[in-house]
Amino acid sequence: MFLLEKHYLCRRIGYFVYAYIYKLLTYTYNIKMRRIIVVFSLLLFAVQLTQAQVQVTGKIVDGNDKTPLIGVAVIAADSEKASLEERLKNSTCTDINGRFTIRVPDMDSEIKVSYIGYKEKTVRVSQDMTIELDWDKNLYPRKERREVTLSTADKQVIEHVGDLSLRLMRALPKRQSTVFSPLSLACLLSLANDGAATRTQKELNQLLGATPKKTDSFYRKMTPYFTDSQMGSRFLMANALFVNNRFQLKQPFLQQVTDNYGALVRNIDLADPKAVQEVNDWCARQTDDMIRKMVDGAEDGALLYGLNAVFFNSKWKRPFHEDETKDETFTTEDGTCKTLPMMHREAIYSFAAQKGYTALLLPYIGEVRYDMTLLLPDKGQTTSDLLSTLSPHALQQLRQQFRDARVDVKIPRFETEADLNLNEQLCQLGIPTAFDKQNADFSRMADVSADEPDAHLCLSKVLQKAKIEVNEKGTHAAAVTYIEEVVVTAMGMPKEFDEFVFHADRPFLYLITEHTTGTVIFIGQYHGD
């Protein structure tokens, strides 16, 4: 703070120095001396230019309970009248810890912070500042649990996220632990669909269950609803586009992705190792260091990196006790027996017995109600057998079948990481044109250079890295979905209770969902590896 204020004072003094130099040049007739004065002036001016902006850090919290607010938009107030591209250069958003870093002209500058459901605020900058936002009670009445009204289109998008989760899970390798976020993938594909046209967009519409206008509306409304930093639970979903500085994204596309997805947009040299580091740093910040490295380097012809990060960290509503965790036998689908730490608790849970499997609902704490649903195939059945019977409609019916019961629960304490290349699976699921080097149409996103009349934009890679940790206290999960778009040249007690047993001592499926809407945030299967 002292150094920044000192720099601000020095710049003010610099104005007087310039005035004095002007007088010297006016009254000095010695050529050599005039040259010295000019060189000195240029050096002073260069130093001032390098100090033309200052970097400010800070934190944004809820004015009521002082919890960090994540995903809050922060913009330099004096850039609001500038072009969209200029505003994007002078804007950022808070990370998973509610922190932000932004560059402003000087310490006299102001920043504007805004987040749906809170009153906008404009404040003068200071170093390591803390900004408190007040909930807008007139627009969004605060309750213990948030409420949301879903339109028919919203329900359709949610159903297709569930369908995508099941179809992709069936397409992934069998008898292998894996985890991914269908919500992260669907959100990023929806963002890309804003730039698609003709057959490419038609296929994406069918996969996503709605047109760009409807998916844009869904994510604009639901992302703030899903975001949670209350009552010990944290959830964040963020988007970013790192664009090759040789290309210009179209203005309507830029407006759509910033307005509806809150996307951070950066124009950088994708061939520069520093750019790759900036991309990976963004992933690490948004996932609390769970996913630190998403890309190694850009391919030739890369137009942009599109990224979506989903982070979830919450405690169980009924935590397991560590002293109850014991090493027990876990039997894999090929009959192999392993010894794993099995968490144990007997309590009141939502339970359902279905044909071929049993289901258990483990609730998390938080203002937004998230649950983990465990699906345990009957003995003699496999996870593949179970997946073949599941559908979004079946999952919806299952939610209605849950009944409170006293359940003796045992589940493994586990950790799973997945690194998935989804190109082949997405082509099989109905969007092959997006990857077609000759027929992909993303003309609503950007124009290819006039120097390359035969070039096309297409998806090069769709990758997702995901990690989940399940223990006695709760669940820690993160996923980053990555799209690389390239230019190619043509060629997810008083009462009496029934008693049940749920011992997950064999492979099982699990889903982390938002309870009110049924949206699948994460889906995975555990095989003891």
Side-chain angles (χ1 to χ4, degrees):
M1 176 66 180
F2 170 74
L3 290 176
L4 289 171
E5 291 291 358
K6 182 179 179 181
H7 156 69
Y8 168 74
L9 181 61
C10 287
R11 291 199 306 141
R12 289 290 181 264
I13 294 174
Y15 299 145
F16 292 103
V17 174
Y18 284 135
Y20 183 69
I21 290 173
Y22 175 77
K23 288 184 179 180
L24 285 176
L25 287 172
T26 303
Y27 297 107
T28 301
Y29 298 98
N30 185 292
I31 298 300
K32 191 173 183 180
M33 183 58 70
R34 288 173 68 90
R35 287 176 179 172
I36 293 174
I37 293 172
V38 169
V39 171
F40 176 77
S41 301
L42 291 174
L43 288 173
L44 184 61
F45 182 65
V47 170
Q48 185 170 339
L49 280 180
T50 61
Q51 302 295 327
Q53 286 192 324
V54 292
Q55 182 171 285
V56 177
T57 60
K59 185 176 184 179
I60 300 178
V61 300
D62 185 294
N64 180 41
D65 54 22
K66 308 302 186 276
T67 54
L69 293 174
I70 51 185
V72 179
V74 184
I75 185 172
D78 59 358
S79 67
E80 286 192 308
K81 295 182 180 179
S83 66
L84 180 60
E85 290 85 351
E86 288 298 318
R87 293 203 306 273
L88 292 172
K89 290 179 182 178
N90 297 299
S91 64
T92 186
C93 59
T94 55
D95 63 16
I96 196 63
N97 297 307
R99 301 199 63 84
F100 67 89
T101 300
I102 190 170
R103 299 191 73 86
V104 294
D106 54 48
M107 296 306 289
D108 269 344
S109 300
E110 292 183 333
I111 55 174
K112 182 178 181 180
V113 295
S114 59
Y115 187 69
I116 296 176
Y118 288 84
K119 296 179 181 178
E120 289 186 351
K121 204 168 194 177
T122 301
V123 296
R124 180 180 173 182
V125 298
S126 63
Q127 194 59 282
D128 205 23
M129 61 197 304
T130 297
I131 303 172
E132 296 182 3
L133 287 188
D134 297 321
W135 192 261
D136 193 339
K137 297 180 180 178
N138 293 326
L139 293 178
Y140 297 89
R142 191 66 173 271
K143 297 184 179 181
E144 183 182 357
R145 297 288 187 188
R146 297 186 197 174
E147 294 181 357
V148 65
T149 301
L150 298 176
S151 66
T152 301
D154 294 336
K155 293 176 182 177
Q156 193 172 4
V157 173
I158 291 171
E159 182 179 348
H160 277 72
V161 172
D163 184 57
L164 181 62
S165 67
L166 295 173
R167 294 172 69 189
L168 268 177
M169 185 60 75
R170 294 188 196 106
L172 294 176
K174 309 295 188 292
R175 296 185 176 183
Q176 180 179 318
S177 297
T178 191
V179 61
F180 69 91
S181 173
L183 181 65
S184 174
L185 175 61
C187 182
L188 193 55
L189 288 176
S190 297
L191 184 153
N193 198 22
D194 279 343
T198 59
R199 182 178 174 180
T200 304
Q201 187 176 86
K202 184 178 179 180
E203 291 177 355
L204 282 165
N205 289 349
Q206 188 170 356
L207 179 68
L208 298 168
T211 61
K213 184 177 180 179
K214 292 178 180 179
T215 54
D216 287 355
S217 173
F218 174 81
Y219 288 104
R220 180 179 176 86
K221 174 169 65 175
M222 297 305 296
T223 300
Y225 172 78
F226 290 142
T227 301
D228 193 10
S229 58
Q230 307 291 328
M231 304 180 187
S233 181
R234 291 195 296 166
F235 178 88
L236 167 72
M237 185 164 69
N239 297 285
L241 294 177
F242 292 89
V243 188
N244 192 315
N245 53 21
R246 295 189 295 114
F247 295 90
Q248 283 291 104
L249 297 180
K250 289 186 175 180
Q251 190 79 7
F253 175 75
L254 270 175
Q255 197 75 55
Q256 285 176 288
V257 299
T258 53
D259 287 351
N260 300 310
Y261 297 88
L264 175 72
V265 182
R266 288 285 182 266
N267 285 91
I268 57 179
D269 181 3
L270 294 182
D272 189 342
K274 291 181 180 179
V276 174
Q277 186 60 47
E278 184 177 348
V279 173
N280 289 326
D281 286 348
W282 183 87
C283 296
R285 287 196 307 274
Q286 304 304 325
T287 61
D288 202 21
D289 279 340
M290 287 192 76
I291 298 175
R292 298 181 180 180
K293 187 176 183 181
M294 195 66 202
V295 296
D296 295 315
E299 293 185 356
D300 291 340
L303 165 64
L304 64 81
Y305 291 155
L307 297 112
N308 172 281
V310 169
F311 175 83
F312 177 78
N313 186 14
S314 187
K315 298 177 181 179
W316 302 118
K317 191 173 182 180
R318 302 178 187 90
F320 294 84
H321 300 292
E322 292 186 15
D323 56 3
E324 290 286 323
T325 300
K326 310 292 182 185
D327 286 343
E328 297 188 25
T329 300
F330 183 96
T331 305
T332 63
E333 290 181 353
D334 63 5
T336 302
C337 293
K338 297 183 177 183
T339 301
L340 297 177
M342 298 289 287
M343 304 184 296
H344 176 249
R345 173 156 188 170
E346 185 175 340
I348 305 302
Y349 290 105
S350 293
F351 179 87
Q354 302 291 92
K355 183 179 179 179
Y357 70 97
T358 52
L360 184 73
L361 203 66
L362 301 180
Y364 296 99
I365 62 174
E367 183 183 359
V368 181
R369 184 176 174 185
Y370 290 102
D371 302 309
M372 175 180 279
T373 304
L374 295 165
L375 306 177
L376 181 64
D378 292 344
K379 289 184 178 180
Q381 300 290 310
T382 67
T383 53
S384 296
D385 295 334
L386 176 53
L387 278 168
S388 67
T389 66
L390 293 178
S391 66
H393 180 66
L395 290 177
Q396 186 178 14
Q397 285 188 318
L398 173 63
R399 291 163 62 82
Q400 298 172 358
Q401 297 295 321
F402 277 117
R403 296 292 182 268
D404 286 345
R406 185 174 296 280
V407 188
D408 183 67
V409 178
K410 288 184 180 180
I411 60 173
R413 183 179 64 211
F414 67 91
E415 179 178 321
T416 298
E417 291 187 57
D419 190 347
L420 307 171
N421 185 323
L422 301 173
N423 288 22
E424 183 179 346
Q425 288 86 351
L426 288 173
C427 286
Q428 293 174 356
L429 293 183
I431 58 168
T433 307
F435 296 89
D436 191 317
K437 295 180 179 181
Q438 293 184 338
N439 298 313
D441 187 349
F442 287 95
S443 56
R444 294 171 62 241
M445 182 182 295
D447 283 326
V448 180
S449 170
D451 298 332
E452 302 174 89
D454 295 326
H456 299 83
L457 306 180
C458 75
L459 300 186
S460 171
K461 296 177 183 176
V462 178
L463 311 176
Q464 186 176 114
K465 287 189 178 182
K467 184 176 181 180
I468 187 170
E469 299 171 3
V470 177
N471 57 36
E472 291 83 356
K473 295 180 180 179
T475 301
H476 198 185
V480 174
T481 305
Y482 157 73
I483 287 179
E484 183 173 295
E485 187 127 16
V486 299
V487 179
V488 290
T489 302
M491 357 157 258
M493 276 274 215
K495 181 179 173 183
E496 293 265 344
F497 291 98
D498 293 332
E499 297 185 4
F500 296 96
V501 172
F502 188 94
H503 291 177
D505 54 4
R506 54 191 182 275
F508 57 88
L509 300 175
Y510 58 90
L511 303 92
I512 295 178
T513 60
E514 194 285 312
H515 186 86
T516 303
T517 63
T519 307
V520 180
I521 312 298
F522 288 92
I523 185 171
Q525 55 182 317
Y526 184 68
H527 287 262
D529 49 330

